[in-house]
Amino acid sequence: MIDLHLHLDGSLDPKNVPMMAQMSGIELNYSDKELKKMLMVEPDCTNLGEYLKKFDLPLKLLQTQECIEYAVYELMRVLDLQGLCYAEIRFAPQLHKQRNLSQEEVVQAAISGLNKGIKDFSMSANLILCCMRGDENVHENMETINVAEKYLGKGICAVDLAGNEAAYPTKQFEEVFLAAGRKGIPVIIHAGEAAGPESIRQALEFGAVRIGHGIHAVDDADLMRVLKERNIYLEMCYSSNLQTKTVNRAEDYPIVAFLKNNLGVTLNTDNITVSNTTLKNEYRLVQKQFSLDENLLLKIVLNSVQASFLPADRKEHLKCRITREFSGWLH
Protein backbone atom coordinates (compact mmCIF):
# COMPACT_ATOMS: atom_id res chain seq x y z
CA MET A 1 0.00 0.00 0.00
CA ILE A 2 1.18 3.51 -0.76
CA ASP A 3 1.09 6.89 0.98
CA LEU A 4 2.00 9.78 -1.33
CA HIS A 5 1.13 12.70 0.97
CA LEU A 6 2.92 12.25 4.28
CA HIS A 7 4.60 15.02 6.28
CA LEU A 8 7.63 14.01 8.34
CA ASP A 9 7.12 16.56 11.12
CA GLY A 10 3.48 15.56 11.55
CA SER A 11 4.30 11.87 11.78
CA LEU A 12 6.77 11.46 14.65
CA ASP A 13 6.06 8.40 16.77
CA PRO A 14 5.33 9.73 20.30
CA LYS A 15 7.36 6.83 21.69
CA ASN A 16 10.45 8.22 19.93
CA VAL A 17 10.06 11.84 21.01
CA PRO A 18 11.89 11.45 24.38
CA MET A 19 14.86 9.92 22.54
CA MET A 20 14.85 12.76 20.04
CA ALA A 21 14.69 15.30 22.84
CA GLN A 22 17.69 13.65 24.47
CA MET A 23 19.58 13.76 21.16
CA SER A 24 18.77 17.45 20.89
CA GLY A 25 19.57 18.37 24.48
CA ILE A 26 15.96 19.41 25.08
CA GLU A 27 14.34 18.67 28.42
CA LEU A 28 10.80 17.32 28.23
CA ASN A 29 8.78 17.33 31.43
CA TYR A 30 5.63 15.73 30.12
CA SER A 31 3.78 12.53 30.90
CA ASP A 32 2.99 10.21 28.00
CA LYS A 33 -0.57 11.50 28.03
CA GLU A 34 0.56 15.14 27.96
CA LEU A 35 3.01 14.40 25.17
CA LYS A 36 0.34 12.81 23.00
CA LYS A 37 -1.88 15.83 23.60
CA MET A 38 0.90 18.08 22.31
CA LEU A 39 1.34 15.98 19.17
CA MET A 40 -2.22 14.91 18.27
CA VAL A 41 -5.38 16.87 17.60
CA GLU A 42 -8.41 16.30 19.77
CA PRO A 43 -11.48 14.71 18.17
CA ASP A 44 -13.22 18.09 18.40
CA CYS A 45 -10.50 20.05 16.54
CA THR A 46 -12.17 23.19 15.23
CA ASN A 47 -9.78 24.85 12.77
CA LEU A 48 -6.49 24.79 10.87
CA GLY A 49 -4.74 26.98 13.46
CA GLU A 50 -5.44 24.46 16.19
CA TYR A 51 -4.19 21.68 13.92
CA LEU A 52 -0.95 23.48 13.08
CA LYS A 53 -0.09 24.01 16.76
CA LYS A 54 0.73 20.30 16.92
CA PHE A 55 3.82 20.90 14.76
CA ASP A 56 5.51 23.20 17.30
CA LEU A 57 7.28 20.47 19.28
CA PRO A 58 8.27 18.31 16.28
CA LEU A 59 9.89 21.30 14.57
CA LYS A 60 11.73 22.16 17.77
CA LEU A 61 13.19 18.66 17.81
CA LEU A 62 14.03 18.31 14.11
CA GLN A 63 16.94 20.75 14.12
CA THR A 64 19.95 18.41 14.14
CA GLN A 65 21.18 15.98 11.52
CA GLU A 66 21.04 13.15 14.03
CA CYS A 67 17.36 13.77 14.80
CA ILE A 68 16.36 14.25 11.17
CA GLU A 69 18.05 11.02 10.12
CA TYR A 70 16.49 9.18 13.06
CA ALA A 71 13.01 10.58 12.32
CA VAL A 72 13.03 9.45 8.68
CA TYR A 73 14.34 6.00 9.60
CA GLU A 74 11.80 5.51 12.40
CA LEU A 75 8.92 6.68 10.22
CA MET A 76 9.88 4.05 7.69
CA ARG A 77 9.89 1.46 10.48
CA VAL A 78 6.34 2.46 11.43
CA LEU A 79 5.13 2.39 7.82
CA ASP A 80 6.71 -1.02 7.28
CA LEU A 81 4.90 -2.40 10.34
CA GLN A 82 1.65 -0.95 8.98
CA GLY A 83 2.04 -2.92 5.77
CA LEU A 84 3.05 -0.15 3.38
CA CYS A 85 5.26 -1.02 0.45
CA TYR A 86 6.12 2.54 -0.63
CA ALA A 87 5.80 6.13 0.60
CA GLU A 88 6.80 9.63 -0.44
CA ILE A 89 7.74 11.57 2.69
CA ARG A 90 7.82 15.36 2.55
CA PHE A 91 9.35 18.12 4.64
CA ALA A 92 10.57 21.72 4.23
CA PRO A 93 14.37 21.97 4.63
CA GLN A 94 14.16 25.70 5.40
CA LEU A 95 12.22 24.93 8.61
CA HIS A 96 15.08 22.88 10.03
CA LYS A 97 17.80 25.54 10.18
CA GLN A 98 17.31 26.88 13.73
CA ARG A 99 20.65 25.38 14.78
CA ASN A 100 22.49 26.67 11.73
CA LEU A 101 22.22 23.62 9.50
CA SER A 102 22.19 24.43 5.80
CA GLN A 103 19.33 23.13 3.70
CA GLU A 104 21.74 20.74 2.03
CA GLU A 105 22.84 19.34 5.40
CA VAL A 106 19.18 18.85 6.35
CA VAL A 107 18.52 16.97 3.13
CA GLN A 108 21.68 14.89 3.46
CA ALA A 109 20.57 13.76 6.92
CA ALA A 110 17.10 12.84 5.64
CA ILE A 111 18.57 10.87 2.74
CA SER A 112 20.85 9.03 5.15
CA GLY A 113 17.84 7.95 7.22
CA LEU A 114 16.00 7.01 4.03
CA ASN A 115 18.82 4.82 2.76
CA LYS A 116 19.15 3.04 6.10
CA GLY A 117 15.42 2.42 6.12
CA ILE A 118 15.44 1.02 2.59
CA LYS A 119 18.23 -1.33 3.63
CA ASP A 120 16.58 -2.52 6.84
CA PHE A 121 12.87 -2.66 5.99
CA SER A 122 10.78 -4.36 3.32
CA MET A 123 9.25 -1.07 2.12
CA SER A 124 10.89 1.68 0.08
CA ALA A 125 10.44 5.45 -0.04
CA ASN A 126 11.46 8.74 -1.59
CA LEU A 127 11.57 12.29 -0.26
CA ILE A 128 9.74 15.42 -1.43
CA LEU A 129 11.16 18.84 -0.55
CA CYS A 130 8.60 21.50 0.35
CA CYS A 131 9.01 25.16 -0.48
CA MET A 132 7.00 27.37 1.88
CA ARG A 133 4.40 30.06 1.31
CA GLY A 134 5.59 33.36 2.77
CA ASP A 135 6.45 36.99 2.00
CA GLU A 136 10.22 37.09 2.34
CA ASN A 137 11.52 33.61 1.63
CA VAL A 138 12.15 33.64 -2.11
CA HIS A 139 15.85 32.98 -1.49
CA GLU A 140 15.06 30.04 0.79
CA ASN A 141 12.61 28.58 -1.71
CA MET A 142 15.11 28.89 -4.57
CA GLU A 143 17.71 27.21 -2.37
CA THR A 144 15.26 24.33 -1.85
CA ILE A 145 14.86 24.02 -5.63
CA ASN A 146 18.63 23.97 -6.12
CA VAL A 147 19.15 21.31 -3.44
CA ALA A 148 16.34 19.24 -4.97
CA GLU A 149 18.07 19.42 -8.36
CA LYS A 150 21.35 18.23 -6.85
CA TYR A 151 19.79 15.20 -5.15
CA LEU A 152 17.05 14.40 -7.68
CA GLY A 153 17.04 10.64 -8.21
CA LYS A 154 19.27 10.19 -5.17
CA GLY A 155 16.47 10.10 -2.63
CA ILE A 156 14.64 13.23 -3.76
CA CYS A 157 11.77 12.77 -6.23
CA ALA A 158 9.90 16.12 -6.35
CA VAL A 159 9.30 19.56 -4.86
CA ASP A 160 6.13 20.88 -3.26
CA LEU A 161 4.61 24.12 -2.01
CA ALA A 162 3.11 24.08 1.50
CA GLY A 163 1.94 26.63 4.05
CA ASN A 164 -0.85 29.15 4.44
CA GLU A 165 -2.61 29.01 1.07
CA ALA A 166 -5.25 31.60 2.02
CA ALA A 167 -2.70 34.23 3.07
CA TYR A 168 -0.12 33.56 0.34
CA PRO A 169 -1.81 32.79 -3.00
CA THR A 170 -0.22 30.24 -5.30
CA LYS A 171 0.32 32.89 -8.00
CA GLN A 172 3.03 34.52 -5.85
CA PHE A 173 5.33 31.52 -6.38
CA GLU A 174 5.48 31.43 -10.16
CA GLU A 175 9.23 32.23 -10.30
CA VAL A 176 10.11 29.38 -7.96
CA PHE A 177 8.17 26.65 -9.73
CA LEU A 178 8.95 27.70 -13.27
CA ALA A 179 12.59 27.40 -12.19
CA ALA A 180 11.87 23.89 -10.92
CA GLY A 181 10.32 23.02 -14.26
CA ARG A 182 13.35 24.29 -16.17
CA LYS A 183 15.55 22.08 -14.01
CA GLY A 184 13.39 19.03 -14.73
CA ILE A 185 12.16 18.61 -11.16
CA PRO A 186 8.61 17.22 -10.82
CA VAL A 187 6.28 19.70 -9.11
CA ILE A 188 3.49 19.10 -6.59
CA ILE A 189 1.55 21.99 -5.05
CA HIS A 190 -0.80 22.09 -2.07
CA ALA A 191 -3.81 23.83 -3.62
CA GLY A 192 -7.57 23.96 -3.31
CA GLU A 193 -7.42 23.28 0.42
CA ALA A 194 -7.70 26.72 2.04
CA ALA A 195 -8.36 28.52 -1.26
CA GLY A 196 -10.66 27.94 -4.20
CA PRO A 197 -10.36 26.45 -7.70
CA GLU A 198 -8.21 29.33 -8.97
CA SER A 199 -5.38 28.17 -6.73
CA ILE A 200 -5.46 24.78 -8.45
CA ARG A 201 -5.50 26.41 -11.88
CA GLN A 202 -2.41 28.41 -10.95
CA ALA A 203 -0.68 25.25 -9.74
CA LEU A 204 -1.34 23.66 -13.12
CA GLU A 205 0.10 26.71 -14.89
CA PHE A 206 3.28 26.23 -12.85
CA GLY A 207 3.62 22.62 -14.03
CA ALA A 208 2.14 20.69 -11.09
CA VAL A 209 1.66 17.02 -11.94
CA ARG A 210 -0.09 16.29 -8.63
CA ILE A 211 -2.23 18.48 -6.40
CA GLY A 212 -2.05 18.28 -2.61
CA HIS A 213 -5.66 17.96 -1.38
CA GLY A 214 -7.43 19.76 -4.26
CA ILE A 215 -10.75 19.68 -2.41
CA HIS A 216 -12.22 22.79 -4.04
CA ALA A 217 -11.83 21.42 -7.55
CA VAL A 218 -15.33 20.10 -6.91
CA ASP A 219 -16.60 23.69 -7.15
CA ASP A 220 -15.56 24.01 -10.82
CA ALA A 221 -16.81 21.46 -13.34
CA ASP A 222 -14.52 22.79 -16.07
CA LEU A 223 -11.49 22.44 -13.78
CA MET A 224 -12.41 18.83 -13.06
CA ARG A 225 -12.50 18.24 -16.81
CA VAL A 226 -9.01 19.75 -17.13
CA LEU A 227 -7.67 17.61 -14.29
CA LYS A 228 -9.03 14.51 -15.99
CA GLU A 229 -7.71 15.44 -19.44
CA ARG A 230 -4.23 16.22 -18.09
CA ASN A 231 -4.20 13.10 -15.91
CA ILE A 232 -3.46 15.16 -12.77
CA TYR A 233 -3.61 13.17 -9.56
CA LEU A 234 -5.21 14.47 -6.37
CA GLU A 235 -3.58 13.64 -3.04
CA MET A 236 -6.65 13.40 -0.81
CA CYS A 237 -6.35 13.23 2.98
CA TYR A 238 -9.75 12.49 4.49
CA SER A 239 -9.22 12.78 8.26
CA SER A 240 -7.02 15.86 8.20
CA ASN A 241 -9.40 17.69 5.83
CA LEU A 242 -12.23 17.14 8.32
CA GLN A 243 -10.06 18.07 11.30
CA THR A 244 -8.93 21.35 9.76
CA LYS A 245 -12.48 22.08 8.59
CA THR A 246 -11.47 22.21 4.94
CA VAL A 247 -14.71 20.23 4.73
CA ASN A 248 -17.18 20.73 7.57
CA ARG A 249 -19.22 17.55 7.19
CA ALA A 250 -18.05 14.08 6.27
CA GLU A 251 -20.94 13.66 3.82
CA ASP A 252 -19.69 16.70 1.88
CA TYR A 253 -16.24 15.27 1.27
CA PRO A 254 -15.87 15.24 -2.54
CA ILE A 255 -14.14 11.90 -3.09
CA VAL A 256 -17.24 10.32 -4.64
CA ALA A 257 -17.77 13.31 -6.95
CA PHE A 258 -14.15 13.05 -8.09
CA LEU A 259 -14.44 9.31 -8.67
CA LYS A 260 -17.64 9.78 -10.69
CA ASN A 261 -15.75 12.28 -12.86
CA ASN A 262 -12.93 9.76 -13.33
CA LEU A 263 -10.30 11.92 -11.64
CA GLY A 264 -7.04 10.44 -10.42
CA VAL A 265 -7.95 10.13 -6.75
CA THR A 266 -5.33 8.91 -4.28
CA LEU A 267 -5.89 8.48 -0.52
CA ASN A 268 -3.23 9.44 2.01
CA THR A 269 -2.71 10.22 5.69
CA ASP A 270 -1.17 13.74 5.58
CA ASN A 271 0.11 13.43 9.17
CA ILE A 272 -0.02 10.08 10.91
CA THR A 273 0.54 11.46 14.40
CA VAL A 274 -1.20 14.83 14.27
CA SER A 275 -4.31 13.26 12.75
CA ASN A 276 -3.92 10.09 14.88
CA THR A 277 -4.49 7.84 11.90
CA THR A 278 -2.96 5.22 9.63
CA LEU A 279 -3.37 4.61 5.92
CA LYS A 280 -5.47 1.51 6.61
CA ASN A 281 -7.69 3.60 8.87
CA GLU A 282 -8.18 6.18 6.11
CA TYR A 283 -9.31 3.50 3.65
CA ARG A 284 -11.67 1.98 6.20
CA LEU A 285 -13.18 5.36 7.13
CA VAL A 286 -13.81 6.27 3.50
CA GLN A 287 -15.19 2.80 2.78
CA LYS A 288 -17.66 3.09 5.66
CA GLN A 289 -18.67 6.71 5.09
CA PHE A 290 -19.33 6.40 1.35
CA SER A 291 -20.15 2.68 1.03
CA LEU A 292 -17.30 2.16 -1.43
CA ASP A 293 -16.78 -1.40 -2.56
CA GLU A 294 -13.39 -3.07 -2.36
CA ASN A 295 -12.78 -2.89 -6.12
CA LEU A 296 -13.13 0.90 -6.03
CA LEU A 297 -10.75 1.12 -3.07
CA LEU A 298 -8.28 -1.02 -4.98
CA LYS A 299 -8.59 1.39 -7.91
CA ILE A 300 -7.63 4.24 -5.58
CA VAL A 301 -4.52 2.49 -4.34
CA LEU A 302 -3.53 1.56 -7.90
CA ASN A 303 -3.93 5.25 -8.77
CA SER A 304 -1.34 5.91 -6.07
CA VAL A 305 1.06 3.52 -7.75
CA GLN A 306 0.60 5.25 -11.09
CA ALA A 307 0.90 8.72 -9.52
CA SER A 308 4.14 7.87 -7.73
CA PHE A 309 7.55 8.95 -8.96
CA LEU A 310 8.74 5.37 -9.26
CA PRO A 311 10.13 4.07 -12.57
CA ALA A 312 7.70 2.23 -14.84
CA ASP A 313 9.02 -1.26 -14.10
CA ARG A 314 8.67 -0.71 -10.33
CA LYS A 315 5.12 0.52 -10.84
CA GLU A 316 4.14 -2.61 -12.73
CA HIS A 317 5.67 -4.81 -10.02
CA LEU A 318 3.82 -2.94 -7.28
CA LYS A 319 0.50 -3.08 -9.13
CA CYS A 320 0.75 -6.87 -9.30
CA ARG A 321 1.75 -7.13 -5.64
CA ILE A 322 -0.95 -4.78 -4.39
CA THR A 323 -3.67 -6.47 -6.45
CA ARG A 324 -2.75 -9.76 -4.72
CA GLU A 325 -2.41 -8.37 -1.22
CA PHE A 326 -4.90 -5.51 -0.91
CA SER A 327 -7.89 -7.44 0.41
CA GLY A 328 -5.83 -9.11 3.13
CA TRP A 329 -4.22 -5.79 4.12
CA LEU A 330 -7.52 -3.94 4.33
CA HIS A 331 -9.16 -6.57 6.52
Side-chain angles (χ1 to χ4, degrees):
M1 289 1 94
I2 292 181
D3 196 334
L4 297 179
H5 192 116
L6 177 61
H7 290 269
L8 176 65
D9 48 356
S11 303
L12 302 187
D13 188 335
K15 296 176 183 178
N16 293 333
V17 167
M19 172 65 76
M20 296 179 68
Q22 185 177 349
M23 289 178 182
S24 300
I26 296 172
E27 186 173 349
L28 290 182
N29 295 312
Y30 306 109
S31 66
D32 290 345
K33 184 177 180 180
E34 289 170 333
L35 193 56
K36 285 185 178 181
K37 190 171 183 179
M38 294 183 70
L39 297 171
M40 299 177 180
V41 293
E42 300 292 336
D44 59 350
C45 180
T46 58
N47 56 62
L48 178 59
E50 185 178 332
Y51 189 91
L52 293 178
K53 287 292 292 180
K54 305 304 177 181
F55 292 83
D56 290 350
L57 177 58
L59 284 174
K60 185 177 180 181
L61 295 171
L62 291 169
Q63 299 299 330
T64 69
Q65 287 184 296
E66 183 181 20
C67 276
I68 293 165
E69 178 182 315
Y70 178 81
V72 172
Y73 180 85
E74 288 297 317
L75 178 53
M76 290 186 67
R77 180 198 299 278
V78 168
L79 298 176
D80 186 51
L81 290 172
Q82 292 176 359
L84 272 68
C85 51
Y86 178 71
E88 291 176 358
I89 301 166
R90 64 188 72 191
F91 63 98
Q94 63 191 265
L95 299 182
H96 303 279
K97 296 171 58 182
Q98 294 175 16
R99 294 196 182 185
N100 298 317
L101 291 177
S102 68
Q103 288 200 41
E104 183 168 5
E105 288 171 332
V106 171
V107 171
Q108 288 172 339
I111 291 173
S112 179
L114 178 80
N115 288 336
K116 288 180 180 179
I118 291 171
K119 178 181 177 182
D120 290 350
F121 307 127
S122 59
M123 66 148 329
S124 63
N126 274 304
L127 301 171
I128 296 168
L129 302 187
C130 296
C131 297
M132 294 301 298
R133 297 177 187 268
D135 276 330
E136 300 178 354
N137 65 337
V138 174
H139 174 76
E140 288 84 355
N141 283 338
M142 290 304 299
E143 184 178 354
T144 300
I145 298 299
N146 290 333
V147 173
E149 180 186 25
K150 183 172 182 178
Y151 292 95
L152 188 64
K154 302 172 185 176
I156 304 304
C157 64
V159 292
D160 184 16
L161 177 64
N164 191 335
E165 183 187 9
Y168 302 102
T170 301
K171 63 183 178 182
Q172 294 183 7
F173 303 91
E174 178 176 12
E175 176 186 357
V176 172
F177 288 97
L178 292 183
R182 288 194 296 269
K183 293 174 182 291
I185 307 168
V187 169
I188 303 165
I189 294 180
H190 280 68
E193 181 185 16
E198 185 57 31
S199 182
I200 300 172
R201 290 185 178 278
Q202 290 160 357
L204 297 180
E205 289 177 11
F206 301 164
V209 296
R210 291 189 342 221
I211 300 295
H213 303 291
I215 298 301
H216 290 291
V218 75
D219 301 329
D220 186 331
D222 184 62
L223 175 58
M224 286 197 287
R225 179 187 58 77
V226 171
L227 292 169
K228 177 186 174 183
E229 289 178 353
R230 297 191 188 181
N231 202 27
I232 303 296
Y233 288 91
L234 301 177
E235 303 168 348
M236 303 194 74
C237 307
Y238 178 70
S239 289
S240 76
N241 289 154
L242 291 175
Q243 290 161 343
T244 61
K245 299 301 181 283
T246 299
V247 176
N248 288 316
R249 303 186 308 166
E251 54 266 37
D252 295 331
Y253 197 71
I255 191 168
V256 172
F258 290 158
L259 289 169
K260 286 181 176 178
N261 282 276
N262 295 311
L263 300 192
V265 170
T266 72
L267 189 59
N268 312 279
T269 57
D270 204 3
N271 301 283
I272 289 175
T273 304
V274 176
S275 286
N276 191 20
T277 193
T278 65
L279 187 62
K280 185 183 293 186
N281 185 54
E282 294 300 295
Y283 273 87
R284 286 175 171 173
L285 287 172
V286 166
Q287 180 183 40
K288 182 178 180 180
Q289 176 64 41
F290 301 104
S291 301
L292 301 184
D293 65 40
E294 198 167 293
N295 287 332
L296 196 51
L297 294 174
L298 176 59
K299 178 181 178 181
I300 292 172
V301 74
L302 292 177
N303 282 346
S304 296
V305 179
Q306 194 59 39
S308 75
F309 294 114
L310 288 168
D313 59 337
R314 287 285 309 282
K315 288 182 181 181
E316 291 307 310
H317 172 77
L318 281 183
K319 286 178 183 178
C320 293
R321 175 181 169 184
I322 287 169
T323 300
R324 290 195 311 267
E325 299 177 1
F326 179 70
S327 183
W329 174 79
L330 184 64
H331 299 290

